[in-house]
Amino acid sequence: MTDILARDRNGLVVLDYETCLDRLRSRNVGRVALVEAGAPTILPVVYAMAGNAVVFRSTVGSKLEAAESSRPIAFEIDEHDTENRQGWSVLVTGVADVVDDPEIVDGLDALGLDSWALAEAGDTAWIRIRAEAVTGRAAPPRD
Amino acid sequence: MTDILARDRNGLVVLDYETCLDRLRSRNVGRVALVEAGAPTILPVVYAMAGNAVVFRSTVGSKLEAAESSRPIAFEIDEHDTENRQGWSVLVTGVADVVDDPEIVDGLDALGLDSWALAEAGDTAWIRIRAEAVTGRAAPPRD
């Protein structure tokens, strides 16, 4: 953890961009937050990294509708060790776009990302988060 | 899992209210989503259940500010078994209030809920989510 440098006002360690990307690449389940009628909602998604971008598959519904209109979106992963009161989280904020370039879609399909929620679903699309910020925090072991 | 009755349009099992509460009571780390300047953000929180309500401690900051103005909030917990492609999530949506009744605060303090992020923090407050909806979904084992 030699890449950890700074702390925020709550005493949490600030994770740098490369550390955030490494952690994003080490997982495949996260949560998306969207705003619907002014109120936030949170949905778990199975995801992958396409380069430095978070991508996930969605059926027609709120997630996809948000992407179609390029509404703001947040994506988060975290891990917690409750016994030792340690944990970290990475947050990606930006807008979500439907990926419709056939060549890119073929590449994404080749990732083999198979959302559990789509077992009986109909139309699906690839959603890619165009990140405006990628930030991370960690609660290190107490002294 | 005899309490599981229905499936949603994505083929996910719908968890009933009591099952959602049981799962909320079985955890102590979740995520809060808030809307800031029209965009969603997600923050991990250490929480407890006070009756049927999610409560957590916060320093002065975005979470608390949202509560002070009773802005809409979402809270989520989930668990995933990536190998077997099973998982579930519970979502609480509503508004967040600062708990300022001294008697209730004493009771909450007695819970011993000690947010990791507050190790070096100053002023804190108890936030209680006034739920408008508590919903859950599960992705059961594939056939």
Side-chain angles (χ1 to χ4, degrees):
Chain A
M1 304 270 270
T2 54
D3 50 0
I4 286 169
L5 297 168
R7 286 177 183 251
D8 70 9
R9 61 180 179 171
N10 288 327
L12 293 174
V13 172
V14 176
L15 304 180
D16 66 21
Y17 180 66
E18 287 303 325
T19 302
C20 292
L21 283 180
D22 285 346
R23 296 195 180 188
L24 287 166
R25 290 188 187 109
S26 73
R27 303 287 152 139
N28 59 13
V29 178
R31 299 111 202 145
V32 158
L34 300 167
V35 182
E36 297 182 309
T41 190
I42 307 178
L43 302 157
V45 293
V46 181
Y47 76 99
M49 297 300 287
N52 291 350
V54 172
V55 296
F56 60 93
R57 276 176 62 196
S58 176
T59 52
V60 173
S62 63
K63 280 178 285 190
L64 184 57
E65 282 158 14
E68 280 175 338
S69 58
S70 287
R71 269 196 290 165
I73 194 168
F75 173 84
E76 190 250 19
I77 59 170
D78 61 46
E79 183 175 293
H80 297 283
D81 173 352
T82 51
E83 196 165 332
N84 295 306
R85 300 193 300 186
Q86 298 175 36
W88 58 265
S89 64
V90 171
L91 177 68
V92 179
T93 53
V95 295
D97 288 323
V98 174
V99 180
D100 48 17
D101 180 314
E103 208 164 305
I104 297 175
V105 167
D106 286 349
L108 291 174
D109 286 341
L111 289 176
L113 187 66
D114 188 6
S115 181
W116 307 321
L118 303 179
E120 300 175 25
D123 284 343
T124 64
W126 282 101
I127 311 295
R128 179 176 44 200
I129 301 179
R130 199 145 36 87
E132 287 159 6
V134 178
T135 56
R137 293 290 184 277
R142 297 261 181 115
D143 296 330
Chain B
M1 305 273 269
T2 52
D3 50 2
I4 286 169
L5 297 167
R7 285 177 183 251
D8 70 9
R9 61 180 180 172
N10 288 326
L12 293 175
V13 172
V14 176
L15 304 180
D16 66 21
Y17 180 66
E18 287 303 325
T19 302
C20 291
L21 283 181
D22 286 346
R23 297 196 180 186
L24 287 166
R25 291 189 186 108
S26 73
R27 303 287 152 139
N28 59 10
V29 179
R31 298 112 203 144
V32 158
L34 300 167
V35 182
E36 297 183 309
T41 190
I42 307 178
L43 302 157
V45 294
V46 180
Y47 76 100
M49 297 301 285
N52 291 350
V54 172
V55 296
F56 59 93
R57 277 176 63 196
S58 176
T59 53
V60 172
S62 64
K63 281 179 283 189
L64 183 57
E65 283 157 14
E68 279 174 341
S69 58
S70 287
R71 267 196 290 166
I73 194 168
F75 173 85
E76 191 252 17
I77 59 169
D78 61 45
E79 183 175 293
H80 296 284
D81 173 354
T82 51
E83 195 165 332
N84 295 306
R85 301 194 298 186
Q86 298 175 37
W88 58 265
S89 64
V90 171
L91 177 68
V92 178
T93 54
V95 295
D97 289 322
V98 174
V99 180
D100 48 16
D101 181 315
E103 208 165 304
I104 297 174
V105 166
D106 286 349
L108 291 173
D109 286 342
L111 289 175
L113 188 67
D114 188 7
S115 181
W116 308 320
L118 303 179
E120 300 176 23
D123 284 345
T124 64
W126 282 101
I127 312 294
R128 179 177 45 202
I129 301 179
R130 197 146 35 87
E132 287 159 6
V134 178
T135 56
R137 294 290 185 275
R142 296 264 181 111
D143 297 329

